[in-house]
């Protein structure tokens, strides 16, 4: 067997998430102490979709956010894109059980090269996925490109808590407890990656600047639950403004 066939999948890749797909949802509930559901609802509200909207959920995983969008906006259609076939298979089962297959479509895809025309969706969301994208700046440019003028790009991501006693407790939880619980419950060492990826993610100030450089006007950058997560909301700059920014 060749070295290529036996090497471990890249951390954060679709293949890595294939390995934990079956238990991903229950692990999220336990590891976030149930807070991830409330964070997703906040992100969905921030999309502020118009009637009969077309929304794009990147790094959709098992389709939690896509389903929340479909339920919150009953006349919207949602496309969920993810590089992991295993995660999408779990999501397809959930859509069938919820009767949402006619309004939520799941596709294999890469946030760095979106298979959509310019200004072709009314809103883009990505929850807990942007830190896994190798070229984040490219993905942000793609989100700005496919979103119609006046639409919103909403990014929900875990972050490194920084200040105060609660920040210290949250950092201890993320660095010491989350990887151990994740590994114990899933039998997979991939959850060590969670700690490293959160620690390596840019600060809110740096990430907000990245959004602006990618052609997004940032309208919100809010810490959630003592900074354990952050919500970023942007709108595409007009073409003239983009040229001036460049």
């Amino acid at each position: 067997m060749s070295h290529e066939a036996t090497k471990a999948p890249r951390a954060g890749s679709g293949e890595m998430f294939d390995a934990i797909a079956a238990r991903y949802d229950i692990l999220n509930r336990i590891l976030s102490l149930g807070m991830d559901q409330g964070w997703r609802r906040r992100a969905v509200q921030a999309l502020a979709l118009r009637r009969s909207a077309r929304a794009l959920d990147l790094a959709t995983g098992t389709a939690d956010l896509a389903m929340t969008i479909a339920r919150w906006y009953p006349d919207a259609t949602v496309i969920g894109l993810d590089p992991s076939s295993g995660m999408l298979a779990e999501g397809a089962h959930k859509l069938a059980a919820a009767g949402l297959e006619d309004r939520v479509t799941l596709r294999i895809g890469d946030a760095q090269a979106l298979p959509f025309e310019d200004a072709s969706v009314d809103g883009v969301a990505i929850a807990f996925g942007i830190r896994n994208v190798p070229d984040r700046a490219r993905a942000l440019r793609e989100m700005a490109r496919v979103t119609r003028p006046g639409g919103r790009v909403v990014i929900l991501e875990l972050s490194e808590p920084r200040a105060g006693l609660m920040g210290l407790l949250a950092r201890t939880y993320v660095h010491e407890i989350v990887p151990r619980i994740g590994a114990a419950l899933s039998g997979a060492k991939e959850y060590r990656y969670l700690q490293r990826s959160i620690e390596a993610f840019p600060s809110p100030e740096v990430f907000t600047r990245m959004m602006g450089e990618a052609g997004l006007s940032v309208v919100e950058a809010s810490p959630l639950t003592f900074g354990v997560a952050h919500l970023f909301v942007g709108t595409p700059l007009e073409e003239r403004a983009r040229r001036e920014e460049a």
Side-chain angles (χ1 to χ4, degrees):
M1 187 177 292
S2 69
H3 173 70
E4 285 295 316
T6 58
K7 70 179 183 180
R10 176 183 64 80
S13 67
E15 290 84 356
M16 190 201 86
F17 281 97
D18 285 343
I20 58 176
R23 306 192 72 180
Y24 182 79
D25 286 345
I26 186 62
L27 284 165
N28 270 353
R29 300 297 96 79
I30 294 171
L31 295 174
S32 72
L33 305 178
M35 292 184 289
D36 63 307
Q37 296 287 61
W39 296 338
R40 284 188 179 89
R41 286 192 293 272
R42 175 83 179 269
V44 168
Q45 285 179 278
L47 273 174
L49 293 176
R50 61 185 184 180
R51 290 187 61 83
S52 303
R54 184 187 191 216
L56 176 59
D57 176 28
L58 299 179
T60 192
T62 62
D64 263 3
L65 191 68
M67 292 172 66
T68 305
I69 295 170
R71 287 167 172 151
W72 197 275
Y73 302 99
D75 54 358
T77 56
V78 187
I79 303 167
L81 211 68
D82 198 277
S84 167
S85 58
M87 297 282 272
L88 291 179
E90 293 294 324
H93 292 315
K94 289 163 62 176
L95 289 175
L100 290 172
E101 313 105 299
D102 59 332
R103 295 181 47 225
V104 180
T105 303
L106 301 182
R107 296 175 56 176
I108 287 279
D110 182 352
Q112 301 164 115
L114 298 178
F116 305 106
E117 299 293 330
D118 295 359
S120 60
V121 299
D122 298 292
V124 176
I126 179 169
F128 315 123
I130 190 67
R131 76 179 188 282
N132 299 318
V133 177
D135 191 339
R136 296 182 191 121
R138 183 178 174 188
L140 289 170
R141 289 193 299 270
E142 282 288 89
M143 294 180 212
R145 178 184 66 79
V146 303
T147 305
R148 67 165 179 83
R152 287 187 165 191
V153 172
V154 175
I155 299 167
L156 176 62
E157 189 51 84
L158 297 171
S159 51
E160 179 82 350
R162 300 183 188 280
L165 176 60
M166 294 307 297
L168 175 62
L169 293 175
R171 284 196 302 276
T172 301
Y173 183 73
V174 168
H175 282 262
E176 303 298 332
I177 299 173
V178 163
R180 289 190 174 95
I181 295 175
L185 291 177
S186 67
K189 60 185 178 183
E190 285 86 354
Y191 271 85
R192 275 287 168 193
Y193 165 75
L194 179 63
Q195 171 195 330
R196 297 193 301 270
S197 65
I198 295 170
E199 188 175 48
F201 192 70
S203 69
E205 296 78 16
V206 171
F207 189 71
T208 297
R209 187 162 62 247
M210 289 176 64
M211 290 177 68
E213 291 168 352
L216 292 165
S217 174
V218 179
V219 299
E220 182 180 352
S222 300
L224 307 176
T225 316
F226 308 109
V228 171
H230 267 77
L231 180 70
F232 302 92
V233 183
T235 59
L237 292 168
E238 296 293 336
E239 188 59 35
R240 179 179 174 183
R242 290 192 196 192
R243 289 198 299 268
E244 290 174 354
E245 287 285 329

